[in-house]
Amino acid sequence: MTSRLAHRGPDAQAVAIDGAQGVHLGHRRLSILDVQGGAQPMSDGDLTIVFNGEIYNFQALREELERGGAVFRSDHSDTEVVLHGYRAWGDALPERLNGMWAFVIHDRRARTLFCSRDRFGKKPFYYRHAPGLFAFASELSALRAHPDVPSSLDRVALRKYFAYGFVPAPLTLVEGVRKLPGGCSLRLDLASGRLSEHCYWRYRVEPDAALASRPTAALVEELAGLIDRSVARRLVADVPVGLFLSGGVDSSTIAAVALRQAGRERLRTYSIGFDEASFDESASARAVAAHIGADHQLRRLSVEEARARLPALLAGIDEPIADSSILPTWLLCGFAREQVTVALGGDGADELFAGYDPFKALRYARWYSRMVPRPVHRAICTLASRMPVSHRYMSFDFRLKRLLRGIDRKPALRLPVWLAPASEMDLAELFADPVPLDEVYSEAIEAWENCPSDDDVDRASSFFVDLYLQDDILVKVDRASMLHSLEVRAPFLDIELVDFARRLPSSLKLRGGQTKWLLKEVAATLLPHDIVHRRKQGFALPVGRWLAEGRIGESLEVPAPRADVWTRRLAEHRAGSADHRLYLWSEIMLSGSRALEGLRPAQAVQ
């Protein structure tokens, strides 16, 4: 199992075995902090830990624990802080941690295992619980190396994969295997085998109306201070640190703050560019680097070079996600890893500060559903379907057809339908039976309806943070980076910054059609106006064109009944009569997943 994780921890490997209690702990280490003193599994008396991640407030916690009498053996290991912290605070420990983590602590005296995952699930945790067995791992493929883990696809999870483009926690694509959701802990009683789950944190939008009346300058100062402190925490490492720089406002803000703190001599910025203009952000990245004085490293690739590397990515991918930006993210991580072991990025800002286009689209969706009769909507959809297909980045026809596909749905379904790789008709064909959308999108409906605020922007933020961020964006970055043994840190997900963002009224996030309004006010103190206010561009490659030209997916074997759907959709896509890039890419990623090799066909849903 640990050998399957060698890419996640290339620097050391060790195990700890307690035969009397039947506990076997394995660990692969990527050395970041206290290279000499942080070896794992780490034991202290009756406690042993295996830990993946970084605790950014470990120094403050260590000082508090030392005042309480804890004696540390390591010089500055955050792993040992977690170990002593558990001894002092027990199950309440995760609430005190600021960082990203997945860990398991074996308490020999209490005969228990305590497992925890960070608030946003930045670090993965898969597990299998059955009579006489509790097995866990950082990746599904490693867990499947255990002989008692099942070998059949989960049909419900497979449906949700095609509906969302990812598998929402706690489901996985393997029957009987679960993901521990972010913000949750597990306790296993070794004597009885009883497993209990506790959610210690959930993202809740709780807007404070008083913030809207505060002077803008005061809000900018507070948010800038939170970003400053978050970046400072994430620059702590005993190995080289770098910065991702796309040229967008999020990564540019982080880079500007980090360089101001650490200097050009210590930090370099990294980006990759492509020869197709609509997918290339390198000019913006260079402009930002020049403005902030960065030692900028740029690698340019042709889109054909990028495509040629797709098989290598597929060979290493674990549980699949249908987000095509995983390919350029993986390429960027490989480039940065040539010089650094840690990189800081801008993930989380779009979800917390309303940065995506659907935040704006929701305003028009309510009006549209009230004013446009259904027959008129169907006629508009018919006309839109006749528009020529363009494979340029976020072309007008792509955005319009996506908008129309979900705009007439009930509010809780609009976001997932807009983002879905497969339409409702596709899902029915793929699984040879109708798929009730309320069932397949149950997690999205729950996130929307359980939001304490009735504001559409706030509810959308709940959806994007609870689902899209945790099960797509952070999974993508974790897998892409760890395949190169690179640790990526997200300053926008600092818990202090998150607590501030979730209290902001939506008018401070989306104002007059301007997304991320308050964050951009902060960015305006650091960056040029044209960078702060340029149109948002995602990290993408022309997979739609590749599919249309037969450059990918040519020899893909898709199992029945999906094979017929694949063949028809691929033919329509190549003929230019429809744009099926998202569905077709999701099949490619599914077929390439090493975590699913040798699985039996999914069982029928009862």
Side-chain angles (χ1 to χ4, degrees):
M1 292 171 71
T2 55
S3 69
R4 298 277 181 99
L5 298 175
H7 54 283
R8 300 187 75 94
D11 297 331
Q13 175 181 358
V15 298
I17 297 174
D18 185 327
Q21 296 193 9
V23 175
H24 302 68
L25 302 177
H27 189 263
R28 298 285 317 210
R29 188 182 184 201
L30 176 63
S31 301
I32 304 290
L33 275 178
D34 201 347
V35 175
Q36 299 303 318
Q40 297 185 54
M42 181 180 289
S43 296
D44 178 64
D46 293 323
L47 302 180
T48 300
I49 185 173
V50 283
F51 164 56
N52 175 26
E54 299 290 338
I55 306 302
Y56 303 120
N57 62 335
F58 78 97
Q59 292 165 321
L61 292 176
R62 177 168 176 148
E63 292 170 5
E64 182 179 352
L65 289 163
E66 286 177 328
R67 288 194 297 269
V71 178
F72 285 80
R73 290 184 248 177
S74 69
D75 183 67
H76 58 285
S77 167
D78 57 344
T79 304
E80 192 175 9
V81 169
V82 176
L83 201 58
H84 282 288
Y86 180 74
R87 189 182 300 282
W89 303 309
D91 292 14
L93 168 64
E95 299 168 31
R96 292 174 172 261
L97 301 178
N98 187 350
M100 55 181 181
W101 69 84
F103 65 75
V104 173
I105 296 175
H106 175 210
D107 187 334
R108 282 180 290 279
R109 181 173 298 176
R111 295 179 62 84
T112 60
L113 291 184
F114 180 71
C115 320
S116 181
R117 195 175 181 204
D118 65 78
R119 294 172 180 86
F120 294 98
K122 275 185 83 7
K123 289 301 174 184
F125 191 97
Y126 292 87
Y127 70 95
R128 163 69 171 166
H129 181 230
L133 172 70
F134 179 76
F136 65 91
S138 292
E139 293 185 4
L140 191 55
S141 54
L143 186 59
R144 287 198 62 219
H146 193 290
D148 294 329
V149 170
S151 294
S152 57
L153 277 165
D154 186 306
R155 187 178 173 89
V156 172
L158 191 62
R159 280 182 172 177
K160 289 181 182 285
Y161 168 75
F162 283 109
Y164 286 115
F166 53 81
V167 180
L171 294 173
T172 77
L173 284 169
V174 179
E175 276 190 329
V177 174
R178 295 170 69 84
K179 292 191 286 265
L180 179 63
C184 291
S185 299
L186 295 174
R187 175 170 289 280
L188 176 72
D189 183 282
L190 292 170
S192 67
R194 181 176 178 272
L195 185 69
S196 57
E197 182 177 311
H198 167 65
C199 291
Y200 63 87
W201 187 85
R202 275 288 178 264
Y203 178 75
R204 286 177 63 83
V205 179
E206 296 175 321
D208 181 355
L211 290 175
S213 61
R214 285 181 60 188
T216 298
L219 291 169
V220 168
E221 182 180 6
E222 183 171 356
L223 179 54
L226 288 166
I227 294 172
D228 201 66
R229 290 192 292 276
S230 175
V231 170
R233 294 184 185 111
R234 284 157 180 79
L235 290 176
V236 176
D238 295 335
V239 293
V241 179
L243 306 164
F244 289 161
L245 183 59
S246 68
V249 67
D250 305 335
S251 65
S252 299
T253 298
I254 297 302
V257 172
L259 282 167
R260 186 177 60 192
Q261 292 182 8
R264 187 178 189 271
E265 296 74 21
R266 181 186 170 193
L267 299 176
R268 290 176 173 175
T269 56
Y270 297 88
S271 67
I272 56 174
F274 300 104
D275 60 4
E276 183 162 323
S278 69
F279 293 89
D280 183 44
E281 292 185 283
S282 61
S284 296
R286 285 197 303 268
V288 173
H291 180 81
I292 63 179
D295 180 357
H296 187 55
Q297 308 292 301
L298 170 66
R299 175 166 293 170
R300 293 197 63 83
L301 297 169
S302 71
V303 291
E304 292 309 309
E305 286 179 280
R307 182 191 61 81
R309 300 190 190 186
L310 177 59
L313 171 62
L314 291 175
I317 200 69
D318 196 63
E319 187 177 36
I321 56 171
D323 186 335
S324 62
S325 65
I326 192 172
L327 176 54
T329 301
W330 176 72
L331 294 169
L332 174 61
C333 290
F335 175 40
R337 186 61 175 95
E338 294 173 8
Q339 296 179 333
V340 300
T341 311
V342 174
L344 275 59
D347 294 322
D350 285 319
E351 294 80 6
L352 294 170
F353 294 97
Y356 294 124
D357 283 343
F359 282 99
K360 295 188 290 185
L362 286 170
R363 292 189 305 177
Y364 307 111
R366 285 193 181 272
W367 172 86
Y368 185 96
S369 62
R370 288 195 306 267
M371 302 299 293
V372 178
R374 185 163 289 273
V376 175
H377 171 70
R378 286 197 293 266
I380 294 172
C381 290
T382 300
L383 289 173
S385 68
R386 296 171 182 168
M387 294 178 63
V389 172
S390 169
H391 295 304
R392 290 179 60 81
Y393 174 75
M394 292 300 286
S395 61
F396 175 74
D397 72 292
F398 178 83
R399 290 185 287 120
L400 178 61
K401 292 168 186 175
R402 284 271 143 184
L403 178 68
L404 291 171
R405 192 166 88 173
I407 201 167
D408 66 329
R409 302 289 183 176
K410 68 181 183 179
L413 288 177
R414 286 175 183 145
L415 292 169
V417 169
W418 278 336
L419 299 174
S423 68
E424 185 176 10
M425 182 184 298
D426 291 334
L427 291 171
E429 288 187 292
L430 286 169
F431 295 94
D433 57 32
V435 180
L437 292 190
D438 282 7
E439 176 185 311
V440 78
Y441 290 127
S442 58
E443 299 84 3
I445 294 171
E446 181 182 357
W448 183 274
E449 294 182 347
N450 287 352
C451 178
S453 170
D454 61 1
D455 182 279
D456 278 358
V457 172
D458 291 337
R459 288 184 164 185
S461 182
S462 291
F463 163 82
F464 279 113
V465 171
D466 286 347
L467 282 168
Y468 187 65
L469 177 65
Q470 179 177 161
D471 293 313
D472 185 304
I473 299 299
L474 297 180
V475 171
K476 172 190 70 178
V477 174
D478 175 80
R479 301 307 187 271
S481 61
M482 283 291 103
L483 283 171
H484 295 289
S485 306
L486 177 76
E487 179 175 282
V488 177
R489 300 174 176 180
F492 284 114
L493 296 183
D494 187 275
I495 186 56
E496 293 179 4
L497 197 159
V498 170
D499 282 339
F500 174 77
R502 68 184 184 84
R503 292 187 297 108
L504 289 174
S506 63
S507 62
L508 296 174
K509 300 177 180 180
L510 181 63
R511 176 174 291 189
Q514 178 67 61
T515 58
K516 294 187 285 197
W517 180 80
L518 183 59
L519 178 59
K520 288 179 178 178
E521 290 293 300
V522 174
T525 67
L526 302 165
L527 303 167
H529 180 274
D530 58 340
I531 292 296
V532 174
H533 296 287
R534 81 181 182 94
R535 180 180 171 183
K536 180 176 178 58
Q537 180 167 343
F539 203 22
L541 283 168
V543 296
R545 194 187 75 201
W546 291 346
L547 286 158
E549 295 174 353
R551 295 178 181 273
I552 57 174
E554 186 68 23
S555 59
L556 192 68
E557 294 183 6
V558 176
R562 303 200 318 269
D564 290 341
V565 180
W566 164 266
T567 301
R568 288 197 304 274
R569 296 294 185 265
L570 183 60
E572 292 169 356
H573 188 87
R574 289 182 175 173
S577 59
D579 185 349
H580 295 303
R581 74 181 82 168
L582 299 186
Y583 159 68
L584 297 171
W585 178 264
S586 68
E587 286 282 16
I588 290 172
M589 297 305 291
L590 186 69
S591 70
S593 170
R594 66 172 182 169
L596 306 183
E597 291 175 353
L599 287 186
R600 297 188 299 271
Q603 302 299 308
V605 177
Q606 301 298 319

